[in-house]
Amino acid sequence: ERIHCVEVDAGADHPLAGKPAYRAARLGSLSREPVLVETFLFDPQAFPGLPDNPPGPAASLSAHIESSYKARPTGGHQTFRVQPADADVAIAMHVTEGTPMLQISRTLDFPRAPGAIHTILTCNTSQLVFTQDLGDLTYA
């Protein structure tokens, strides 16, 4: 989904809970099979005008944030759990609602904006092993 404004659920378990945020989502596929849903929330105070200046469809989100806002994460937190697929994820991933999925909840801190990005990655690990290269960890 394209970047748009939302009011984040006050009961959410992250720094943007109960606040306005920009939201976007994208679907990752392998051999035309959906394997990953990424849902992003951005603090509008840290990233003003983001809906008017979105990254391109194949652009790196981190590179876009760095070039447009001169911001790199200084740290963050990730939580890993197994969650049943909700209706929206089940439709996107072509699975039955309730199918166990790996869910990674990630919050990124920036120098003047702690908790400015929160991401939920929902991964279908039934046929794949997900790995991640975290890159240069001198700033995380």
Side-chain angles (χ1 to χ4, degrees):
E1 65 189 22
R2 295 181 190 270
I3 299 171
H4 62 284
C5 295
V6 297
E7 186 72 28
V8 180
D9 175 15
D13 185 21
H14 55 78
L16 296 173
K19 300 178 182 177
Y22 297 138
R23 177 187 157 117
R26 63 184 176 191
L27 181 65
S29 303
L30 182 62
S31 300
R32 297 187 172 213
E33 286 298 317
V35 294
L36 175 69
V37 174
E38 294 175 283
T39 304
F40 302 91
L41 294 170
F42 304 91
D43 182 340
Q45 292 181 4
F47 306 107
L50 186 59
D52 299 323
N53 179 30
S60 160
L61 181 58
S62 58
H64 180 72
I65 294 295
E66 186 171 354
S67 68
S68 296
Y69 296 94
K70 308 301 182 231
R72 289 182 81 179
T74 55
H77 179 78
Q78 292 188 131
T79 302
F80 297 78
R81 63 176 55 102
V82 175
Q83 290 286 108
D86 65 22
D88 292 336
V89 167
I91 290 167
M93 302 278 270
H94 306 154
V95 298
T96 304
E97 189 173 347
T99 298
M101 298 278 174
L102 173 63
Q103 186 181 81
I104 303 163
S105 178
R106 175 186 299 153
T107 300
L108 295 176
D109 300 323
F110 291 80
R112 290 176 296 279
I117 297 178
H118 182 74
T119 308
I120 301 227
L121 298 93
T122 304
C123 313
N124 185 348
T125 59
S126 65
Q127 297 180 28
L128 297 171
V129 173
F130 282 84
T131 62
Q132 182 179 23
D133 181 358
L134 297 177
D136 179 8
L137 295 179
T138 60
Y139 65 88

